[in-house]
Amino acid sequence: MNWTLPRLRPGEPFPPAEGALPAEAPYPGLLAAGGRVDAPTLRAAYAGGIFPWFGEDEPPLWWSPDPRMVLLPGELRVRRSLRQSARRLSADPRFELRVDGDFAAVMRACAQPRAGVAGTWIGPSILQAYAELHAQGLAHSFELWRDGELVAGLYLVALGAAAFGESMFTRVDDGSKLLLMALCGFALSRGLRFIDCQQQTGHLASLGARPWPRGRFLRELAQARELDGVRSWQYDWTQFRQHCAAWL
Protein backbone atom coordinates (compact mmCIF):
# COMPACT_ATOMS: atom_id res chain seq x y z
CA MET A 1 0.00 0.00 0.00
CA ASN A 2 1.34 3.44 -0.98
CA TRP A 3 0.47 5.99 1.73
CA THR A 4 0.55 9.65 0.67
CA LEU A 5 1.42 12.20 3.33
CA PRO A 6 0.45 15.84 2.67
CA ARG A 7 3.36 18.31 2.71
CA LEU A 8 2.31 21.67 4.09
CA ARG A 9 3.68 25.04 3.05
CA PRO A 10 4.02 27.70 5.77
CA GLY A 11 0.58 29.11 6.53
CA GLU A 12 -1.26 26.40 4.59
CA PRO A 13 -4.36 25.03 6.39
CA PHE A 14 -4.30 21.55 7.86
CA PRO A 15 -6.17 18.77 6.12
CA PRO A 16 -9.08 17.30 8.10
CA ALA A 17 -7.94 15.18 11.05
CA GLU A 18 -9.90 12.22 9.66
CA GLY A 19 -7.31 11.99 6.88
CA ALA A 20 -4.51 10.85 9.21
CA LEU A 21 -2.78 7.58 8.36
CA PRO A 22 -4.79 4.54 9.50
CA ALA A 23 -3.82 1.83 11.96
CA GLU A 24 -2.28 -0.42 9.29
CA ALA A 25 0.06 2.34 8.01
CA PRO A 26 3.71 2.56 9.15
CA TYR A 27 2.98 5.68 11.23
CA PRO A 28 -0.67 5.51 12.30
CA GLY A 29 -2.16 8.86 13.20
CA LEU A 30 0.34 10.93 11.21
CA LEU A 31 -1.58 13.59 9.30
CA ALA A 32 0.90 15.90 7.58
CA ALA A 33 4.49 17.14 7.50
CA GLY A 34 5.96 20.59 7.11
CA GLY A 35 4.38 23.96 7.62
CA ARG A 36 5.24 26.57 10.20
CA VAL A 37 5.57 26.05 13.98
CA ASP A 38 4.21 29.22 15.57
CA ALA A 39 1.36 30.25 17.85
CA PRO A 40 -1.32 30.72 15.13
CA THR A 41 -0.47 27.34 13.60
CA LEU A 42 -0.56 25.59 16.97
CA ARG A 43 -3.90 27.17 17.80
CA ALA A 44 -5.35 25.98 14.50
CA ALA A 45 -3.90 22.52 15.06
CA TYR A 46 -5.39 22.04 18.52
CA ALA A 47 -8.73 23.44 17.39
CA GLY A 48 -8.79 20.73 14.71
CA GLY A 49 -7.77 17.86 16.98
CA ILE A 50 -4.15 17.88 15.77
CA PHE A 51 -0.88 18.17 17.68
CA PRO A 52 2.83 18.42 16.77
CA TRP A 53 5.39 15.76 17.61
CA PHE A 54 8.74 15.48 15.84
CA GLY A 55 12.42 15.06 16.53
CA GLU A 56 15.16 17.65 16.36
CA ASP A 57 16.31 16.49 12.90
CA GLU A 58 12.82 16.07 11.43
CA PRO A 59 10.44 18.47 9.70
CA PRO A 60 7.34 19.45 11.69
CA LEU A 61 5.07 16.40 11.95
CA TRP A 62 1.38 16.74 12.78
CA TRP A 63 -0.69 13.97 14.34
CA SER A 64 -4.29 12.97 15.04
CA PRO A 65 -4.32 9.36 16.30
CA ASP A 66 -7.35 7.12 16.39
CA PRO A 67 -8.24 6.32 19.09
CA ARG A 68 -7.33 9.34 21.23
CA MET A 69 -6.40 8.95 24.90
CA VAL A 70 -8.57 11.22 27.08
CA LEU A 71 -8.80 11.76 30.83
CA LEU A 72 -12.09 12.96 32.28
CA PRO A 73 -11.13 14.99 35.37
CA GLY A 74 -13.53 13.16 37.68
CA GLU A 75 -12.16 9.77 36.62
CA LEU A 76 -8.58 10.26 37.79
CA ARG A 77 -7.39 7.20 39.70
CA VAL A 78 -5.50 8.16 42.84
CA ARG A 79 -3.70 5.22 44.39
CA ARG A 80 -2.88 5.04 48.07
CA SER A 81 0.77 6.01 47.59
CA LEU A 82 -0.17 9.14 45.63
CA ARG A 83 -2.80 10.04 48.21
CA GLN A 84 -0.17 9.83 50.92
CA SER A 85 2.29 11.91 48.90
CA ALA A 86 -0.36 14.56 48.22
CA ARG A 87 -1.19 14.85 51.89
CA ARG A 88 2.46 15.08 52.86
CA LEU A 89 3.54 17.60 50.24
CA SER A 90 0.49 19.85 50.63
CA ALA A 91 1.15 20.06 54.38
CA ASP A 92 4.89 20.73 54.08
CA PRO A 93 5.60 24.49 54.28
CA ARG A 94 8.67 24.08 52.08
CA PHE A 95 6.45 23.18 49.11
CA GLU A 96 4.36 25.63 47.09
CA LEU A 97 1.79 24.90 44.37
CA ARG A 98 1.70 27.50 41.61
CA VAL A 99 0.12 27.98 38.19
CA ASP A 100 2.02 29.97 35.56
CA GLY A 101 4.80 30.92 37.96
CA ASP A 102 7.50 30.23 35.37
CA PHE A 103 6.07 28.68 32.22
CA ALA A 104 9.35 28.86 30.30
CA ALA A 105 11.25 27.07 33.07
CA VAL A 106 8.71 24.23 33.04
CA MET A 107 9.12 23.80 29.30
CA ARG A 108 12.91 23.86 29.54
CA ALA A 109 12.81 21.22 32.26
CA CYS A 110 10.46 19.06 30.20
CA ALA A 111 12.91 19.34 27.30
CA GLN A 112 15.80 17.84 29.27
CA PRO A 113 16.92 14.36 28.12
CA ARG A 114 15.45 11.46 30.06
CA ALA A 115 16.86 8.05 30.84
CA GLY A 116 16.28 5.63 27.99
CA VAL A 117 14.97 8.34 25.64
CA ALA A 118 17.09 9.68 22.79
CA GLY A 119 16.77 13.41 22.17
CA THR A 120 13.73 15.58 22.75
CA TRP A 121 10.86 16.88 20.67
CA ILE A 122 10.81 20.18 22.61
CA GLY A 123 13.27 22.10 20.46
CA PRO A 124 13.75 25.87 20.03
CA SER A 125 10.82 26.31 17.64
CA ILE A 126 8.47 24.46 20.01
CA LEU A 127 9.71 26.45 23.01
CA GLN A 128 9.13 29.74 21.20
CA ALA A 129 5.71 28.82 19.81
CA TYR A 130 4.31 27.64 23.14
CA ALA A 131 5.77 30.70 24.85
CA GLU A 132 3.71 32.77 22.42
CA LEU A 133 0.61 30.72 23.27
CA HIS A 134 1.32 31.30 26.95
CA ALA A 135 1.57 35.06 26.37
CA GLN A 136 -1.85 34.86 24.70
CA GLY A 137 -3.34 33.05 27.70
CA LEU A 138 -3.76 29.76 25.83
CA ALA A 139 -0.94 27.72 27.42
CA HIS A 140 -0.39 27.22 31.14
CA SER A 141 1.88 25.44 33.58
CA PHE A 142 1.17 23.73 36.89
CA GLU A 143 4.22 23.82 39.12
CA LEU A 144 5.57 22.40 42.37
CA TRP A 145 8.23 24.46 44.13
CA ARG A 146 10.40 23.50 47.11
CA ASP A 147 12.22 26.25 48.98
CA GLY A 148 11.99 28.48 45.92
CA GLU A 149 13.22 25.83 43.47
CA LEU A 150 11.06 24.37 40.70
CA VAL A 151 10.96 20.60 41.30
CA ALA A 152 8.01 19.43 39.17
CA GLY A 153 5.86 20.82 36.39
CA LEU A 154 3.45 20.12 33.59
CA TYR A 155 2.22 22.33 30.79
CA LEU A 156 -0.93 22.31 28.70
CA VAL A 157 -2.94 24.16 26.09
CA ALA A 158 -6.53 25.24 26.79
CA LEU A 159 -9.18 26.14 24.22
CA GLY A 160 -12.65 26.84 25.58
CA ALA A 161 -13.51 24.01 27.97
CA ALA A 162 -10.91 21.61 26.55
CA ALA A 163 -7.42 21.03 27.95
CA PHE A 164 -4.56 19.40 26.06
CA GLY A 165 -1.83 17.94 28.25
CA GLU A 166 1.62 18.20 26.68
CA SER A 167 4.51 17.18 28.89
CA MET A 168 5.59 16.93 32.52
CA PHE A 169 8.68 16.40 34.64
CA THR A 170 9.51 15.81 38.27
CA ARG A 171 12.53 15.75 40.55
CA VAL A 172 10.61 14.55 43.61
CA ASP A 173 8.61 11.36 44.14
CA ASP A 174 5.06 11.64 42.75
CA GLY A 175 5.58 15.30 41.84
CA SER A 176 4.14 15.13 38.32
CA LYS A 177 1.28 12.86 39.43
CA LEU A 178 0.40 15.34 42.17
CA LEU A 179 0.28 18.12 39.57
CA LEU A 180 -1.99 16.00 37.39
CA MET A 181 -4.24 15.62 40.43
CA ALA A 182 -4.15 19.40 40.87
CA LEU A 183 -5.03 19.89 37.21
CA CYS A 184 -7.98 17.50 37.52
CA GLY A 185 -9.24 19.27 40.65
CA PHE A 186 -8.80 22.60 38.90
CA ALA A 187 -10.66 21.29 35.84
CA LEU A 188 -13.59 20.09 37.93
CA SER A 189 -13.87 23.47 39.62
CA ARG A 190 -13.51 25.51 36.41
CA GLY A 191 -15.65 23.47 34.04
CA LEU A 192 -12.93 21.98 31.83
CA ARG A 193 -14.57 18.95 30.25
CA PHE A 194 -11.62 16.72 29.43
CA ILE A 195 -7.84 16.51 29.29
CA ASP A 196 -6.44 15.27 26.00
CA CYS A 197 -3.58 12.84 26.66
CA GLN A 198 -2.94 12.17 22.95
CA GLN A 199 -1.33 8.72 22.75
CA GLN A 200 -2.39 5.45 24.37
CA THR A 201 -0.04 4.19 27.08
CA GLY A 202 -0.43 1.77 29.97
CA HIS A 203 0.71 4.50 32.37
CA LEU A 204 -2.08 6.85 31.30
CA ALA A 205 -4.62 4.04 31.48
CA SER A 206 -3.51 3.28 35.04
CA LEU A 207 -4.34 6.90 35.94
CA GLY A 208 -7.86 6.64 34.54
CA ALA A 209 -7.45 7.84 30.96
CA ARG A 210 -9.33 5.93 28.29
CA PRO A 211 -9.35 5.79 24.50
CA TRP A 212 -11.98 7.65 22.51
CA PRO A 213 -12.56 7.01 18.81
CA ARG A 214 -11.31 10.00 16.84
CA GLY A 215 -14.84 10.84 15.71
CA ARG A 216 -16.04 11.15 19.28
CA PHE A 217 -12.98 13.18 20.27
CA LEU A 218 -13.56 15.67 17.45
CA ARG A 219 -17.25 16.03 18.33
CA GLU A 220 -16.51 16.58 22.02
CA LEU A 221 -13.76 19.03 21.12
CA ALA A 222 -16.06 21.04 18.85
CA GLN A 223 -18.60 21.34 21.67
CA ALA A 224 -15.96 22.24 24.29
CA ARG A 225 -14.47 24.95 22.09
CA GLU A 226 -17.82 26.74 22.01
CA LEU A 227 -17.88 27.09 25.79
CA ASP A 228 -16.31 29.88 27.82
CA GLY A 229 -12.70 29.33 28.80
CA VAL A 230 -11.22 29.60 32.26
CA ARG A 231 -11.10 33.19 33.49
CA SER A 232 -8.68 32.78 36.39
CA TRP A 233 -5.79 30.34 36.50
CA GLN A 234 -4.79 31.14 40.06
CA TYR A 235 -4.40 28.02 42.19
CA ASP A 236 -2.85 27.11 45.53
CA TRP A 237 -2.85 24.45 48.25
CA THR A 238 -6.07 25.77 49.81
CA GLN A 239 -7.97 25.29 46.56
CA PHE A 240 -6.19 22.00 45.94
CA ARG A 241 -7.38 20.56 49.27
CA GLN A 242 -10.91 21.79 48.58
CA HIS A 243 -11.22 20.54 45.01
CA CYS A 244 -9.29 17.29 45.54
CA ALA A 245 -10.91 16.37 48.87
CA ALA A 246 -12.48 13.24 47.39
CA TRP A 247 -9.00 11.91 46.54
CA LEU A 248 -7.34 12.88 49.79
Side-chain angles (χ1 to χ4, degrees):
M1 181 69 70
N2 183 23
W3 307 105
T4 301
L5 186 69
R7 300 281 176 167
L8 302 179
R9 296 185 296 272
E12 185 178 0
F14 290 102
E18 294 87 349
L21 296 181
E24 61 270 23
Y27 301 100
L30 183 57
L31 176 68
R36 183 184 295 124
V37 181
D38 58 12
T41 304
L42 287 179
R43 183 170 185 170
Y46 284 104
I50 302 160
F51 61 87
W53 184 37
F54 54 94
E56 295 177 276
D57 299 324
E58 296 176 322
L61 299 177
W62 304 93
W63 302 77
S64 184
D66 185 14
R68 189 73 162 246
M69 205 65 165
V70 173
L71 176 61
L72 299 179
E75 295 185 357
L76 177 69
R77 292 178 189 160
V78 178
R79 301 186 184 277
R80 181 180 179 183
S81 60
L82 176 55
R83 185 178 297 112
Q84 292 172 337
S85 292
R87 290 173 178 168
R88 174 175 52 83
L89 294 175
S90 63
D92 190 329
R94 297 177 302 161
F95 286 88
E96 183 181 358
L97 174 64
R98 303 179 191 174
V99 173
D100 292 337
D102 195 334
F103 180 86
V106 171
M107 284 207 66
R108 289 194 299 268
C110 288
Q112 293 301 308
R114 305 184 188 188
V117 179
T120 177
W121 76 278
I122 306 176
S125 63
I126 290 290
L127 287 166
Q128 178 60 36
Y130 282 88
E132 293 173 8
L133 281 184
H134 175 63
Q136 296 171 11
L138 298 176
H140 303 276
S141 56
F142 279 65
E143 305 157 7
L144 184 64
W145 295 74
R146 180 179 59 195
D147 295 328
E149 177 187 1
L150 179 66
V151 294
L154 67 80
Y155 72 96
L156 64 132
V157 173
L159 294 179
F164 307 83
E166 279 303 319
S167 187
M168 59 178 64
F169 83 96
T170 188
R171 300 182 184 123
V172 295
D173 290 344
D174 288 333
S176 56
K177 292 180 183 178
L178 180 142
L179 292 176
L180 180 59
M181 184 193 303
L183 172 57
C184 287
F186 178 92
L188 288 170
S189 69
R190 301 299 203 279
L192 292 173
R193 288 192 167 188
F194 61 82
I195 301 167
D196 171 32
C197 301
Q198 301 177 349
Q199 306 271 10
Q200 287 194 80
T201 69
H203 174 65
L204 289 169
S206 73
L207 294 171
R210 52 179 168 164
W212 280 1
R214 185 195 292 123
R216 178 184 177 184
F217 176 78
L218 294 175
R219 290 192 299 271
E220 297 279 356
L221 172 58
Q223 294 173 12
R225 286 178 52 217
E226 296 300 316
L227 300 175
D228 292 336
V230 175
R231 294 185 178 181
S232 173
W233 286 82
Q234 294 181 349
Y235 210 60
D236 57 24
W237 285 130
T238 299
Q239 296 177 78
F240 173 85
R241 285 187 285 266
Q242 176 185 354
H243 300 145
C244 300
W247 296 314
L248 296 174

